Amino acid sequence: MIPQSLNVCRGQADQGIGEAGTPIRRGEQYLAADAPLQADPELLRGIRHWLTLDAGPGDHGRLQERLTGWACFPAGPYYFVVRLAAAGKYDRRDAYFAHARAWPLAAFAADFDPGLYLGQDAAFLTEAPTGASVAGLPLPPAPAPDPACAAREQALAVGLITHLFHGMVTGWPVILAVPLTAFAAGSPLARVISFARGALPGRLRRRCRVRVFSRNPPLFLGQDPDGAAVDLLVIPEDLAGAALGAVRRRALLLDARGERCDGPAPAAGLSDYARAVSESAQRFPAQLTGFGERFDRLWADPAAAPGPELTGWVTLTYNLAVALAGGAAHCGSLFANYLLTQARATDQVPWSALIRPDDWARFPQDHLIRFILRADEALSPGEGCLQVALVDAFQRLGSTLDEGLAAWWNPAEAPKRRRLLALCDLDPPLIADARCAALTRPLPIATLAADGAPLTGALRAEYRAGVLGARGAEAPHLLAVLDQPGLFALLLEADRTGALAAPWRRGDLATMPLPQAAALARQLLQEPRTWSGLEDLPTRLFARLEQAPGGLDAIAADLFDPRGRLRIAPTPAAAVLLLETAPIARRLPCADLMTLGGLLPATAARALTAYQARVTTLMDLEPPATTAHLIQAGAWLAWRRHAGPALEQDARHRLALTWLTSPALAVLRDDRARARPPQWRPERTQARGADLVDITRETWDQVMADLGPLAPATVDLLTRPDTHWPWVHPFQQDQARDLAARCPDPQARAALAADLERTEWMTAADAPWLGEVIAALAAGADGNAALAGLRQRVQAAADQDGRDARSHPLMQLCRAICALPPRQRRRDGPLIRHGWQTLERAIGGEGGYYHWALLSPDRPILPLLHLAACLRPERQAGTLALWFMYQPDCAPLRREPRWWAALIGSVLTQTTPPDARDTAPPRPWCAPAEATRRAALALIDAEREALPPAEAMALARAWGDLDSDGTWTDNCGANHR
């Protein structure tokens, strides 16, 4: 059925419908149009130049009213075909009449191409309609190419097909220059052009733009903003030079015989395409359009011209189009007499692209089934390719071969057995399960296996048909073929559902050939979750591979990836087997070893022993990495206990130190948000983060037992931020005691104390070195009574495990240093000799840890100020005081008169804060404390508005004794009068 078309006419008349919505009183205009076109002014405006005959007076003079032009082009949702012809005179000027038919682009089909109306005068009006409407025009006869005309002009037809195909792919327009007489009515030129265009593939025909006759080439060559770019422009030959110049010679110029005069040569294979299409169309012209649609399937890349590897199948494609249009009988004849011949000749036929499954469904199915079932060993490679294509089509269609099996099957013929097994192994199958099982069940596994075809599909059909159970007695033969893909999983499923008896997995593996054993092992490695249900089959199989030379190497690529890591996701049963297989256990990396070790049941003594032995080997080779993996797996303590006390002390010390400094414990070292270990934060004790490793007190005790005495260099290593020992909540105090007990050297104990100073876990009892240092200071202080008394008080506080401000070790140290004579506070004095440079760095503020010194209102931070003044007054005293004055924790203290009184009194009058037990009179500040004093006074001055009046006046009086000019005293006093 021919799709309905819309019509539009143009020419000169006294009355029409105007120019795209603009009324015209008389003259050149649209004369009539169907309503959908008339309602689209933009579309009418865009196609105006296509419906205008731009002939000159000379053209009309020579051809009179025989002058005829044509055009076809897509515009909007339509494809237009236009006939333009001279129409005598209008108002003493040459006139023309154009009639265009428009079909929806969706009308293109395998049996309809509107472009074939080009050149068919009978399909168009020859004169203007009487009214403005062209509704009701009769449908034109079905379009058809004119192969006879093309045969008479064969050179022109072949040339046009070749160069138009090439030009449309490459973007070069084709210009055909012909004598003016070729545009006369009745000339074969338009029908040859129509044939050439119709011979193109479908995707090109849908967008092909053709203009036959024009005196304005730039308008149709894309050089005019109001024009259009055509694919084929046919012009009088006297305009050829001007047309080439308009496009700067970027066009293909052909003469009247279709020979190329200018432009690039066509792509290889296009000439063969053109000749083959022309020859086939001479015999079957009605299928020219169907051929073009089918060739689209073969030509997958429209951005590139098809090469000889595609154009060589033009005749085959054309014949397919003819047969499919003729019905099942034609298709059967084509298959038997032509397609099989092509298949025998070559294996390069692109069957899947040429013939789709729905096309195969239109062929006689008995022909196809007989060919699919062919089991001839003498099938040519091409016939094999056709057989594969047919099998794929049947699978996609959901068809089966059941109807042809009875006449074909003979169980005594090995080729047919092999063909049946191959067809049963397909997914989806081409043979029903019940039909397949009925044919294969009488045959023993040994017979089927000897044929060398896959058995999985046939056994799957037997399983689904419910007849697989009897195969359990054929255990040796089943084990021999378990290397076939999918068969192992099938038997496991049948075993689990009770459809197959257990003896199948108890066959003898000792005589199994090594390739089959390796293949079966690969199947096992793909299903490690099933090992626990296979009794001892995996163990016996791996033992068989271990005994054979190179047996385990045959499955190494399936077991380990290129990095040496396990490919499989192990289960407890797999972990036991892998670790008990010594060659595999020796290759396991530490990360996989930890995974397997975590899966081992407590009863697997042999596997546990192998695991521990492998860990010990790795610990000797890579102590840091192995320790980190053990920590992350929570397995370090278990391995260490297994290693036993046989280790030398040096080895134990190295193991302990490696554990203490392992990067795996980084999250337990420091919490930058609070400058404390993470377990100290209350929220961490309730909900541990998933990324935190876990260590126990028992692990710590084992590490301490292995550690031994600590040298100063080791303590320095353990107190660095990146290698600090980990904290075990809530045993931080015990850890501090454990480490202090292993520091026999005073300098090591001092370094440890310098690190503990920033924590809450340093008390007098935790720092036994403090008494030793004070004693050393007293020994060089010429019997300093203050130091002797201080030592006694420190010892008393240690006996009571004191925790108040007075007994804090650093507070006691401040008192000790302040009690030293100046000569002992020198850089080369006992402070330095006893390792106090480490403590000095901590106290001095480089780390910013002073929380221990935020004391009660009557004991402010003055001792620390004194200590800073003694050590580094010029650099640190002011910074230290500033830090404390503006600590958030100090804000409540600034509202306490007692705090200000203690601060003012300490800064201005004495070196130590008031103490009821001190009977010595206050002494003035020493010279090195001047920077501290002035920094503190500056801070007090900044806070003068917060001073209570009594304290402000006391400060003014005290300052007057120390500051002779009285400037600050006057300002302070005036502020509080």
Side-chain angles (χ1 to χ4, degrees):
M1 182 178 178
I2 302 174
Q4 184 65 46
S5 68
L6 300 177
N7 300 271
V8 59
C9 299
R10 183 176 176 82
Q12 294 91 355
D14 293 335
Q15 186 175 0
I17 60 174
E19 287 283 13
T22 303
I24 300 293
R25 178 171 297 182
R26 58 192 306 271
E28 186 178 14
Q29 58 184 307
Y30 284 106
L31 305 179
D34 283 324
L37 298 179
Q38 191 171 347
D40 192 347
E42 285 296 325
L43 179 63
L44 293 178
R45 190 176 298 111
I47 66 174
R48 179 170 53 192
H49 55 280
W50 290 99
L51 274 72
T52 300
L53 183 64
D54 51 353
D59 303 324
H60 286 277
R62 290 185 59 187
L63 297 179
Q64 300 298 324
E65 294 188 4
R66 293 184 302 129
L67 176 62
T68 306
W70 293 88
C72 62
F73 58 92
Y78 305 104
Y79 194 86
F80 289 83
V81 182
V82 187
R83 178 183 182 275
L84 308 97
K89 298 288 185 178
Y90 176 81
D91 197 15
R92 295 179 296 180
R93 296 181 180 178
D94 295 319
Y96 70 91
F97 172 71
H99 175 209
R101 288 185 178 271
W103 286 267
L105 289 173
F108 278 88
D111 58 354
F112 181 74
D113 176 12
L116 291 177
Y117 281 113
L118 192 143
Q120 294 192 15
D121 296 287
F124 297 88
L125 298 176
T126 57
E127 59 183 18
T130 56
S133 174
V134 285
L137 286 181
L139 288 174
D146 189 345
C149 180
R152 291 191 296 271
E153 302 287 343
Q154 184 175 6
L156 176 59
V158 170
L160 277 175
I161 296 172
T162 302
H163 292 93
L164 184 55
F165 199 147
H166 177 74
M168 292 191 69
V169 173
T170 60
W172 285 58
V174 178
I175 302 173
L176 177 63
V178 298
L180 184 62
T181 55
F183 299 106
S187 170
L189 176 62
R191 294 193 297 277
V192 174
I193 292 173
S194 176
F195 176 83
R197 180 205 156 278
L200 297 175
R203 62 168 58 98
L204 294 185
R205 288 187 281 107
R206 286 174 173 82
R207 63 180 180 88
C208 187
R209 296 173 172 85
V210 177
R211 173 70 181 216
V212 180
F213 187 84
S214 175
R215 280 287 174 183
N216 188 5
L219 182 65
F220 292 97
L221 292 173
Q223 306 304 307
D224 191 314
D226 296 327
V230 299
D231 300 299
L232 173 62
L233 176 62
V234 187
I235 58 174
E237 55 190 0
D238 61 310
L239 294 177
L244 273 180
V247 293
R248 297 178 178 86
R249 308 190 74 83
R250 186 176 174 80
L252 291 164
L253 178 62
L254 307 181
D255 62 13
R257 296 182 301 276
E259 296 181 359
R260 179 171 52 90
C261 301
D262 205 325
L270 291 183
S271 297
D272 296 336
Y273 172 93
R275 283 190 289 270
V277 173
S278 298
E279 292 172 2
S280 296
Q282 302 302 319
R283 295 183 294 128
F284 307 106
Q287 300 308 319
L288 180 63
T289 301
F291 155 77
E293 298 295 322
R294 187 164 296 277
F295 191 82
D296 278 346
R297 306 178 184 181
L298 191 64
W299 180 33
D301 184 10
E309 72 281 359
L310 295 182
T311 57
W313 308 116
V314 169
T315 302
L316 174 57
T317 307
Y318 208 111
N319 290 339
L320 276 170
V322 173
L324 289 169
H330 289 79
C331 291
S333 175
L334 179 77
F335 182 80
N337 301 319
Y338 184 73
L339 296 185
L340 290 181
T341 302
Q342 293 290 322
R344 295 187 194 102
T346 177
D347 61 353
Q348 299 300 312
V349 180
W351 296 110
S352 298
L354 284 171
I355 312 177
R356 294 178 178 174
D358 56 333
D359 296 329
W360 284 119
R362 297 160 65 182
F363 281 70
Q365 297 301 289
D366 56 334
H367 290 57
L368 305 184
I369 290 175
R370 284 197 299 271
F371 184 75
I372 292 175
L373 290 174
R374 278 185 58 182
D376 302 349
E377 302 294 342
L379 272 179
S380 69
E383 289 175 306
C385 292
L386 176 57
Q387 204 175 54
V388 170
L390 283 171
V391 167
D392 179 71
F394 268 58
Q395 287 182 295
R396 293 177 182 274
L397 292 169
S399 303
T400 68
L401 308 176
D402 295 355
E403 294 180 1
L405 289 174
W408 168 80
W409 175 243
N410 184 354
E413 297 182 21
K416 290 190 176 182
R417 292 198 303 267
R418 283 192 291 271
R419 185 60 181 159
L420 176 67
L421 293 176
L423 292 172
C424 290
D425 200 52
L426 297 173
D427 186 20
L430 293 186
I431 301 175
D433 292 333
R435 193 77 179 93
C436 178
L439 299 179
T440 60
R441 179 61 194 89
L443 300 174
I445 292 293
T447 301
L448 297 176
D451 292 333
L455 295 178
T456 305
L459 294 181
R460 183 184 295 111
E462 292 182 18
Y463 170 59
R464 292 172 178 169
V467 297
L468 182 62
R471 296 283 191 188
E474 301 181 72
H477 303 293
L478 281 175
L479 287 178
V481 296
L482 279 182
D483 59 318
Q484 296 191 11
L487 183 55
F488 178 66
L490 171 66
L491 295 184
L492 287 178
E493 180 182 351
D495 194 348
R496 186 172 58 254
T497 58
L500 185 63
W504 74 270
R505 57 176 179 264
R506 297 175 185 164
D508 183 17
L509 297 175
T511 59
M512 179 179 287
L514 179 60
Q516 289 185 345
L520 176 56
R522 294 189 187 98
Q523 297 290 329
L524 281 172
L525 292 175
Q526 294 175 9
E527 297 286 344
R529 292 175 298 177
T530 64
W531 292 13
S532 58
L534 294 177
E535 300 178 350
D536 63 343
L537 175 62
T539 303
R540 292 189 294 118
L541 178 62
F542 273 74
R544 168 75 178 89
L545 293 174
E546 188 175 0
Q547 294 168 2
L552 291 174
D553 292 337
I555 63 170
D558 300 273
L559 190 58
F560 297 100
D561 64 17
R563 300 175 301 162
R565 297 293 303 274
L566 278 177
R567 290 184 184 272
I568 66 173
T571 61
V576 171
L577 179 57
L578 294 177
L579 286 170
E580 289 181 349
T581 307
I584 294 177
R586 286 194 296 267
R587 293 187 55 175
L588 289 171
C590 197
D592 292 329
L593 193 64
M594 296 301 104
T595 302
L596 297 179
L599 296 172
L600 290 178
T603 56
R606 180 182 169 193
L608 286 169
T609 301
Y611 162 76
Q612 299 289 3
R614 177 59 178 164
V615 172
T616 301
T617 301
L618 292 175
M619 186 65 79
D620 294 337
L621 297 174
E622 301 175 344
T626 306
T627 299
H629 283 295
L630 285 170
I631 291 172
Q632 291 167 347
W636 187 91
L637 181 60
W639 168 81
R640 177 62 191 86
R641 288 174 174 173
H642 180 271
L647 294 174
E648 297 292 337
Q649 179 56 41
D650 289 345
R652 295 168 60 189
H653 176 79
R654 288 193 300 271
L655 287 174
L657 198 59
T658 303
W659 185 93
L660 287 168
T661 58
S662 174
L665 298 173
V667 293
L668 304 182
R669 290 196 169 93
D670 184 47
D671 185 342
R672 298 185 183 279
R674 298 190 182 185
R676 294 178 179 178
Q679 284 85 345
W680 296 4
R681 298 172 62 173
E683 59 269 25
R684 294 292 182 92
T685 64
Q686 299 172 5
R688 295 172 55 83
D691 60 334
L692 292 180
V693 296
D694 188 20
I695 58 175
T696 63
R697 174 63 186 271
E698 290 76 14
T699 304
W700 174 264
D701 290 342
Q702 180 65 58
V703 172
M704 290 295 102
D706 293 340
L707 187 59
L710 295 177
T714 304
V715 175
D716 182 64
L717 176 69
L718 293 178
T719 55
R720 295 176 188 169
D722 55 336
T723 54
H724 197 283
W725 72 82
W727 295 98
V728 183
H729 180 81
F731 305 106
Q732 291 92 334
Q733 290 196 47
D734 297 331
Q735 289 181 276
R737 291 190 183 95
D738 292 341
L739 290 171
R742 286 160 177 77
C743 295
D745 184 81
Q747 189 167 348
R749 291 197 296 273
L752 179 65
D755 185 74
L756 287 171
E757 166 270 324
R758 64 187 179 88
T759 73
E760 299 176 358
W761 311 115
M762 179 180 171
T763 67
D766 300 324
W769 45 265
L770 182 60
E772 299 177 16
V773 173
I774 294 177
L777 295 176
D782 300 329
N784 190 312
L787 284 176
L790 180 61
R791 181 184 180 189
Q792 295 177 1
R793 290 196 300 274
V794 169
Q795 186 59 48
D799 294 340
Q800 301 173 5
D801 196 14
R803 287 287 297 168
D804 61 5
R806 296 177 184 274
S807 61
H808 195 288
L810 291 182
M811 197 65 82
Q812 305 295 347
L813 179 62
C814 293
R815 293 176 180 275
I817 293 176
C818 291
L820 289 175
R823 62 184 178 80
Q824 288 191 316
R825 293 197 293 263
R826 298 194 308 270
R827 285 295 192 190
D828 57 352
L831 289 176
I832 303 302
R833 289 199 302 272
H834 285 81
W836 285 103
Q837 67 273 23
T838 305
L839 187 57
E840 175 189 350
R841 183 170 65 251
I843 296 175
E846 292 184 6
Y849 304 117
Y850 301 108
H851 294 282
W852 62 271
L854 295 175
L855 306 177
S856 59
D858 59 342
R859 289 289 180 262
I861 46 83
L862 269 301
L864 187 61
L865 294 179
H866 289 309
L867 181 60
C870 295
L871 297 178
R872 295 184 179 179
E874 295 182 359
R875 188 174 72 176
Q876 293 182 347
T879 303
L880 191 62
L882 181 65
W883 189 89
F884 271 99
M885 288 294 294
Y886 291 103
Q887 274 296 299
D889 293 342
C890 287
L893 300 180
R894 289 199 291 271
R895 295 192 293 271
E896 293 287 340
R898 291 180 301 166
W899 191 85
W900 285 107
L903 180 63
I904 294 170
S906 297
V907 170
L908 297 180
T909 63
Q910 54 192 19
T911 59
T912 56
D915 193 323
R917 291 177 293 181
D918 288 337
T919 59
R923 292 188 295 271
W925 281 67
C926 55
E930 183 65 21
T932 300
R933 180 178 70 85
R934 291 195 175 276
L937 288 173
L939 290 171
I940 295 171
D941 181 34
E943 298 284 344
R944 68 174 68 176
E945 294 182 0
L947 291 178
E951 281 68 23
M953 296 307 297
L955 178 62
R957 287 193 298 272
W959 181 254
D961 296 336
L962 298 175
D963 190 359
S964 59
D965 60 12
T967 304
W968 192 85
T969 304
D970 295 340
N971 292 339
C972 182
N975 193 47
H976 291 279
R977 290 191 181 102

Coordinates of all heavy atoms in Angstrom, one line a residue, residues 166 222 261 443 567 586 680 702 738 745 752 808 862 975:
H166 N 30.2 7.9 -2.7 CA 31.5 8.5 -2.2 C 31.3 9.9 -1.7 O 31.7 10.3 -0.6 CB 32.5 8.4 -3.3 CG 33.8 9.0 -2.8 ND1 34.7 8.4 -2.0 CD2 34.4 10.2 -3.1 CE1 35.8 9.2 -1.8 NE2 35.6 10.3 -2.4
G222 N 25.6 25.3 -1.1 CA 25.9 25.8 0.3 C 26.6 27.1 0.4 O 27.1 27.5 1.5
C261 N 35.6 14.3 -13.9 CA 36.5 15.3 -14.5 C 37.3 16.1 -13.5 O 38.4 16.6 -13.8 CB 35.6 16.3 -15.3 SG 34.6 15.6 -16.6
L443 N 23.3 -44.5 27.1 CA 24.7 -44.5 26.7 C 25.6 -44.4 27.9 O 25.3 -43.4 28.7 CB 25.0 -43.5 25.7 CG 24.3 -43.5 24.4 CD1 24.6 -42.3 23.5 CD2 24.6 -44.8 23.6
R567 N 43.6 -15.8 44.6 CA 42.5 -15.4 43.8 C 41.1 -15.7 44.4 O 40.1 -15.1 44.2 CB 42.5 -16.0 42.4 CG 43.7 -15.5 41.5 CD 43.5 -16.2 40.2 NE 44.6 -15.8 39.3 CZ 44.6 -14.7 38.5 NH1 43.6 -13.9 38.5 NH2 45.6 -14.5 37.7
R586 N 53.9 -22.5 51.5 CA 55.2 -21.8 51.5 C 55.1 -20.5 50.5 O 56.0 -19.7 50.6 CB 56.3 -22.7 50.9 CG 56.8 -23.7 52.0 CD 58.1 -24.4 51.5 NE 57.9 -25.2 50.3 CZ 57.6 -26.5 50.3 NH1 57.4 -27.1 51.5 NH2 57.5 -27.2 49.2
W680 N 41.9 7.5 75.4 CA 41.7 8.4 76.6 C 40.4 9.1 76.4 O 39.8 9.6 77.3 CB 42.8 9.4 76.8 CG 44.1 8.7 77.1 CD1 44.3 7.4 77.2 CD2 45.3 9.4 77.5 NE1 45.6 7.2 77.6 CE2 46.2 8.4 77.7 CE3 45.7 10.7 77.5 CZ2 47.5 8.7 78.1 CZ3 47.0 11.0 77.9 CH2 47.9 10.0 78.2
Q702 N 53.3 -9.3 77.4 CA 54.2 -10.2 76.7 C 55.3 -9.3 76.0 O 56.5 -9.7 76.0 CB 53.5 -10.9 75.6 CG 54.4 -11.8 74.7 CD 55.0 -13.0 75.5 OE1 54.3 -13.8 76.1 NE2 56.3 -13.0 75.6
D738 N 55.6 0.3 83.8 CA 56.3 -0.8 83.1 C 57.5 -0.2 82.4 O 58.6 -0.8 82.4 CB 55.4 -1.5 82.2 CG 54.4 -2.3 82.9 OD1 54.5 -2.6 84.1 OD2 53.3 -2.7 82.2
D745 N 69.0 3.7 83.2 CA 69.9 4.9 83.1 C 69.1 6.1 83.4 O 68.0 6.3 83.0 CB 70.3 4.9 81.6 CG 71.3 6.1 81.4 OD1 72.5 5.9 81.7 OD2 70.8 7.2 80.9
L752 N 62.0 9.6 79.4 CA 60.6 9.0 79.5 C 59.7 10.0 80.3 O 58.6 10.2 79.9 CB 60.7 7.7 80.3 CG 59.4 7.0 80.5 CD1 58.8 6.6 79.2 CD2 59.6 5.8 81.4
H808 N 52.9 17.3 92.6 CA 53.2 17.0 91.2 C 54.7 17.1 90.9 O 55.4 18.0 91.4 CB 52.5 18.0 90.3 CG 52.5 17.6 88.8 ND1 53.6 17.6 88.0 CD2 51.4 17.2 88.1 CE1 53.2 17.2 86.8 NE2 51.9 16.9 86.8
L862 N 52.8 30.2 88.7 CA 54.0 30.9 88.9 C 55.2 29.9 89.0 O 56.3 30.3 88.4 CB 53.9 31.6 90.3 CG 53.5 33.1 90.1 CD1 54.4 33.9 89.2 CD2 52.1 33.1 89.5
N975 N 43.3 54.4 87.2 CA 42.3 53.6 86.7 C 41.3 53.1 87.7 O 40.2 52.7 87.4 CB 42.9 52.4 85.9 CG 41.9 51.7 85.1 OD1 41.1 52.4 84.4 ND2 41.8 50.4 85.2

